[in-house]
Amino acid sequence: MSSFTEFFSFADPNVRYVTIGAVLITASSALVGTFTFLNKKSLLGDAIAHAVLPGICLGFLLSGTKNPLYLILGAFVTGWLSLYAIQYITTKSRIKEDTAIGLILSVFFGFGILLLTYIQKSGNANQSGLDHFLFGKAASMVAADIITFSVVAVCLMTLTLLFFKEFTLMVFDRNYAVALGLPVKKLELLLTSMIVLAVVVGIQAVGVVLMAAVLITPAAVARFWTNSIRIMFVVAAITGAFSGLAGAYISYTAPSMPTGPWIVIVISTLALASFLLAPTKGVLNRFLKQRRFRRTIQDENVLKVLYQLGEGSKNFYIHRYAEEIIRKRNFNKQSLMRSIQRLCRQGYLEKSGELCSLTEEGKNRAKRVVKIHRLWELYLTTHVNIAPDHVHEDADTIEHFLTPELEADLERILNYPVVDPHKAEIPY
Amino acid sequence: MALVSDAISHAVLPGIVLAFLFSGSRDSLTMVVGAGILGLLTTFLIEFFHKKAKLQSDAAIGVVFTWLFAIGVVLISLFAGKVDLDQDCVLYGEIAYTPLDMIILENGNLLAPKAVVVMTSVLLIIGIIITLFYKELLLTSFDPGYATAIGFSTAFWHYLLMGMVSATTVASFESVGAILVVALLIVPPATAYLLTDNFKRMLWLSSLIGVIASASGYYLAVWMDGSIAAAIATMSGVLFAGAFVFSPTHGLLKRKLVRAMN
């Protein structure tokens, strides 16, 4: 606990730098990355992150110094070049975009590593520290780095705010943006520059390989919690910032732990949790919803069979064995028993020993299902001109989902018919 | 599918580290098994998030491989003392050291570098699988819908193919590193794709291109005194650029000429 208070008092200037730097980078990268995520080009960020390496090395080779200005300039050039090359290869040949991305990414990176090893062996005294770009050096950030990061982060956030509407439109519907007369080419150039900028500073914190995660994973998290684009950006930025903070804290408590990978593990854990548990969009919720639907359908089918049996004998409340239900409609015995139990609990069925029968409510619910089924069959034959022997399947599905409003509409349109196409009576 | 192999090549890292921790050595078989499991897990996770959580597929790839790679890097630093792997090796391999790691026979004679033996067996196995199941692999890669319709298990062949990708990745891992193996997986086929329309010829051509890239890459590396694996990746890029411009069937020049003549 003491390390917790120590860390969050930010008394140690080093802690301050690392934390501020990590949070700034992750939050601003998350903002820019959300656009690439929405553009379905998540892996472009990965390609740029790899492709800036030769630029950094060339910047160093040509200038002979480690002045960040030259390195960033070089990174910019090859970062842009890689994007342009991917686009060029995709449009001018039959190579598909994902292949082009993988190709440019690995070749540029290979060339970068070749230059890096060349520099390392050339014995230039200045070269140490270039490989920080490979794995990041979040834990050894100093005041000068923080100033660069802050400037870049503020630039990125301001540009995102200023051009929010234009970028959003462009990302969702490029053709419409062109038709509206927006300078799409210039906006695209601006957006790609922003991505390159975010990558160039970001890789110093988390390294080449993990940069993609800082860009897109917060966006993926945010997508699972909201459908509103504004909220999505806020959630993405907060997720990014939180993981930056958490990564810095973890590597503070365990100094041998690298900050960059921990930032990524924190974001990814949030992402996995969101994929599984998010309300409405999470895997768990989808699964539960599906199961609920399957059960409703099964239960209503059981009620329907009992009702149909009742129609035959003119008495809906006769007690029957499960076998009788199965003889009428082929249920799985076990799942039928579970259905019967559920229906008894909900008060739609009554059980006495092995036997069960409809209750008043059960009969009414079954009657409604049967009514919708027969109305729908009639509707399909009279209004959609489908042959009477083809309408049963469709009605079997719709009977569980038709809303009361549509049900009333259907009754009105068909003018309260008495029998369905198969001459079965429609119960009201 | 090109980027799934990219993802696998990164994501096998934790598998390799864990295999290392369990076996305590750079025993190739355990590493292949560990990486193979992780490779299949990667493929499975990407599909799970794409199909079940409805995450767009590019993001699913990006999220999964960065996550697993980060875990791998953290595992390396966690067990830094026990694992004889460092981050540089992960990134660009140590092909120059392969002659140092020889398999020694009982009578004390040197047989061959271990990496050579491992890679030869991987090459043989993959060659055999491709020859035996050529038809199935071709069909399921080109038209999964039709393949399913006539009764092939698309999932089985998909996972077999991805298993092969993982095996190649991990076998090449020590020599060329996690990222450059992507260059070797993607660039030669892409180059061959620009040179021919015949699938069998494309398979042969891409291995030939791989060989040319390796040989010329080695000389480039010696000349520049740089990383051999990186030079191979660079050369494969140069070969691709050559095919992109000069290919007699799909090249840029040819297209320009055709347009000029019309």
Side-chain angles (χ1 to χ4, degrees), chain A residues 45-90:
Chain A
D46 191 33
I48 301 173
H50 286 78
V52 296
L53 187 64
I56 291 167
C57 294
L58 282 174
F60 175 76
L61 276 175
L62 294 179
S63 71
T65 65
K66 248 183 8 197
N67 185 334
L69 198 66
Y70 293 113
L71 303 189
I72 289 184
L73 199 69
F76 247 92
V77 172
T78 47
W80 260 327
L81 197 64
S82 71
L83 275 182
Y84 182 72
I86 290 171
Q87 220 173 35
Y88 192 74
I89 291 176
T90 323

Side-chain angles (χ1 to χ4, degrees), chain A residues 285-300:
Chain A
N285 182 57
R286 279 177 207 274
F287 171 77
L288 289 177
K289 212 156 99 187
Q290 266 175 11
R291 201 177 64 171
R292 213 160 49 232
F293 277 138
R294 265 203 311 274
R295 282 187 175 170
T296 310
I297 291 173
Q298 158 104 353
D299 292 356
E300 290 190 345

Side-chain angles (χ1 to χ4, degrees), chain A residues 363-374:
Chain A
K363 187 201 143 200
N364 287 337
R365 188 170 168 193
K367 192 169 89 181
R368 177 168 180 262
V369 172
V370 170
K371 181 179 80 176
I372 294 174
H373 182 105
R374 292 178 183 165

Side-chain angles (χ1 to χ4, degrees), chain B residues 12-257:
Chain B
V12 294
L13 184 63
I16 291 174
V17 181
L18 286 177
F20 214 114
L21 286 173
F22 277 118
S23 68
S25 71
R26 275 199 186 183
D27 178 18
S28 294
L29 187 68
T30 8
M31 298 239 289
V32 169
V33 172
I37 293 172
L38 255 290
L40 293 181
L41 181 72
T42 313
T43 324
F44 170 77
L45 281 176
I46 291 173
E47 281 190 11
F48 179 75
F49 289 145
H50 179 49
K51 299 236 167 85
K52 295 286 174 185
K54 310 277 180 205
L55 183 65
Q56 59 200 50
S57 67
D58 56 334
I61 294 176
V63 169
V64 169
F65 90 80
T66 48
W67 174 49
L68 291 171
F69 190 81
I71 292 179
V73 176
V74 164
L75 282 175
I76 290 183
S77 26
L78 200 59
F79 300 102
K82 293 182 203 146
V83 181
D84 180 20
L85 271 174
D86 59 12
Q87 300 186 330
D88 291 354
C89 160
V90 169
L91 275 184
Y92 45 94
E94 297 172 326
I95 202 168
Y97 301 145
T98 38
L100 300 179
D101 192 8
M102 303 288 267
I103 291 181
I104 301 167
L105 295 179
E106 277 175 29
N107 57 15
N109 288 341
L110 296 176
L111 176 66
K114 203 168 99 191
V116 174
V117 178
V118 173
M119 287 313 297
T120 314
S121 11
V122 170
L123 177 65
L124 278 178
I125 294 171
I126 287 179
I128 291 170
I129 293 182
I130 291 182
T131 331
L132 283 182
F133 304 115
Y134 177 76
K135 200 176 58 197
E136 288 82 352
L137 288 170
L138 178 72
L139 191 61
T140 45
S141 322
F142 271 94
D143 196 344
Y146 179 62
T148 316
I150 62 173
F152 285 114
S153 161
T154 327
F156 172 77
W157 295 106
H158 178 66
Y159 280 102
L160 180 74
L161 189 63
M162 290 304 138
M164 277 158 55
V165 171
S166 319
T168 330
T169 308
V170 70
S172 341
F173 189 83
E174 273 186 80
S175 307
V176 296
I179 295 164
L180 298 174
V181 70
V182 182
L184 303 182
L185 282 170
I186 298 180
V187 185
T191 314
Y193 186 55
L194 291 179
L195 294 173
T196 177
D197 289 330
N198 178 315
F199 184 66
K200 260 190 194 150
R201 211 172 291 150
M202 185 176 150
L203 280 178
W204 284 111
L205 253 180
S206 67
S207 11
L208 181 70
I209 291 163
V211 171
I212 297 175
S214 308
S216 54
Y218 175 72
Y219 284 102
L220 177 67
V222 171
W223 178 64
M224 281 186 65
D225 193 17
S227 153
I228 298 173
I232 295 174
T234 310
M235 280 318 293
S236 62
V238 172
L239 291 177
F240 175 81
F244 187 74
V245 178
F246 298 112
S247 161
T249 43
H250 301 281
L252 208 60
L253 269 186
K254 160 90 178 178
R255 286 184 188 207
K256 283 246 158 82
L257 280 178

